[in-house]
Amino acid sequence: MPTLPAGITLGAPSPTRGRSVLAARPFGPGDTVATFAGPCVTIPETSHLARTCSHCLAVATAGAGLGSALSSGGSGSSSGKGMRACQGCKTSRYCGAACQKADWALVHGRGECKAMRRARLFTETVGPPSVLPTPVRALIQVLVRPEMVAAVAEMEGHAERSRSSPEPSNDWLDLQLQARGALHYVGRPESSPKDVAETVEIMCKLKVNSFNRRDVDLDESGVYIDSALAMINHSCVPNAFVEIVGRTAVLHAYRAIKEGEEIEISYIETTLPRSRRRQALKTQYHFDCVCPRCKDDLNVYQVCQRYPHLDLNSFSLTPDLDLDKFRNPPLDQLIQSNNPLQHSAEEIYPSCSAPLTGSNPSSKHIHLRQRWKTCAPLVKAQAYAVDPLTQVLVEASIYFGGEQVGKLAYGLAISCFVALRSDAYRDPMPFSAVRIKGMFMIGKFLAHTATAAATSSTSGGNGGRALAAKVSQALGNMDQLTMGQTILKLIIHHSAVAHSKEWQVYQQANDLLSGLESLPGRETENALVDAFVRNPSGSDEMAFFKNAVLKPLQTLAGFTLEIMDAEFGM
Ligand SMILES: C[S@@+](CC[C@H](N)C(=O)[O-])C[C@H]1O[C@@H](n2cnc3c(N)ncnc32)[C@H](O)[C@@H]1O
């Protein structure tokens, strides 16, 4: 049994859920529950190997520029500039000598380097050298260390369910091929059927217990597996969440947790429609979720209504969403389970959910037009926090902020709308990563619109030009730097509540804020922002926040439906 870090204890095993983890003492929202620093496996995805340090997982040249937050592919250098390649396998990269040395002692020098070199040489015989897929590399990291084989052996793997799962989710053959490949590359080509079967079992365990580190905004990717973290069960209404920074995973409370209460995290995106969540949980984790969100098919508004601590929003971009407004969201239809709205969302989800990454601006525009039309029932019901409508709005904001389109004012308006009308309901705690990243997007947009022409081009005939002029004029009347600065301060406050100081968003927000604060001639504005952060409930300070930040944000958000209709309407 793995040693558990302070903060958590082991629960009694359940016949339906297996092992579980309990809180060793009470925790408040945002608190650190436990820290995990000795993972079994932590690797970048194969597609990110060239630009990610294989030991500390730092990403090369990920800048704080607008592009890194707005382009869903991220802007980290794809060449891995600044990373040194291992001269043995020519595959793993490191940010410096210290990481290379540490990784060599930990795993690379214990057989991983040789295995990767064999794989490279083999692929060279049949074409350009290629790198092994991520799951095979994860498996190799285990196979070359007997102590990790033992640690993984204790994990849940559902090998039998995996073997007998119906098509098309049955990947048993792939698992066998991958296991044979890994055994070959670690120097055990003559493995017996028993060895192969045991290796497939390890693969199944890695699959069930892997944390995906993928974060397109930060250009992070990879797999993280820790044997203590692997004992935490799932709920679509979790009371905790995991943040992974480098080689460390930190478990935070999402809401207050009592001593002895089971800790539950979400393995998947909780805001997906129920059928999607069920499919994801069944395919990868082999269970049916019976949490309240799944049991009663609650939508995001219903879940939000039941969350405690909604008052934490008094220091956020939605202080006006008092308990009453959270509990009675401005929807055009009664929110009930199994109502037509819920069915619409389920039905239209598949045609609106594929990421638009990689498409050129004109094909993105065509897709967004189709998706905006498809989402009409949700727009009509004002169900802006329900997927796929939120996703379409986020994609539209990214589209307008992209270099080739460059309609920053439109992108800004839509991100304000998402922060105020979607994210606050989808993720009611203001320290959630989604909320903070949404605010960061607004902060970055503002830093740019304050210094650049608000819109570089217009479309949609006279109506489109008039709208662009209207948005541009509204923006011109706002103190965008003060708005941006205050938002960055909120980000820094909430990051400190529930994230680590190594979190990239925290660091980038700090950098951007220092830049804005050092601009000449802004002493008065700097003092006002500082006074608000020191005493947010003071009447002068509150009035400042309302007039200088909230009202302008609401004005910008108010253009969103007009922008969407002008750009993507029929
Ligand atoms: C990462 S492990 C969690 C720890 C696991 N209970 C164990 O004993 O190792 C994931 C597995 O736990 C079980 N599990 C997690 N959450 C569950 C839930 N809400 N309901 C039923 N089973 C759950 C499933 O078997 C799933 O494949």
Side-chain angles (χ1 to χ4, degrees), residues 151-185:
V152 172
E154 292 180 10
M155 295 178 189
E156 181 60 82
H158 299 299
E160 188 43 41
R161 286 186 203 172
S162 204
R163 197 183 61 78
S164 56
S165 71
E167 295 291 351
S169 60
N170 189 310
D171 60 355
W172 192 248
L173 201 58
D174 282 349
L175 292 176
Q176 284 196 317
L177 286 173
Q178 292 178 344
R180 282 177 196 278
L183 285 168
H184 178 84
Y185 294 126

Side-chain angles (χ1 to χ4, degrees), residues 8 26 29 57 72 155 157 187 190 194 241 266 335 398 411-412 417 429 565:
I8 54 176
L57 304 171
S72 30
M155 295 178 189
E190 309 299 332
K194 184 168 165 278
F241 65 98
S266 181
I335 334 172
I398 293 170
L412 169 60
F417 186 88
M429 294 303 109
D565 281 337

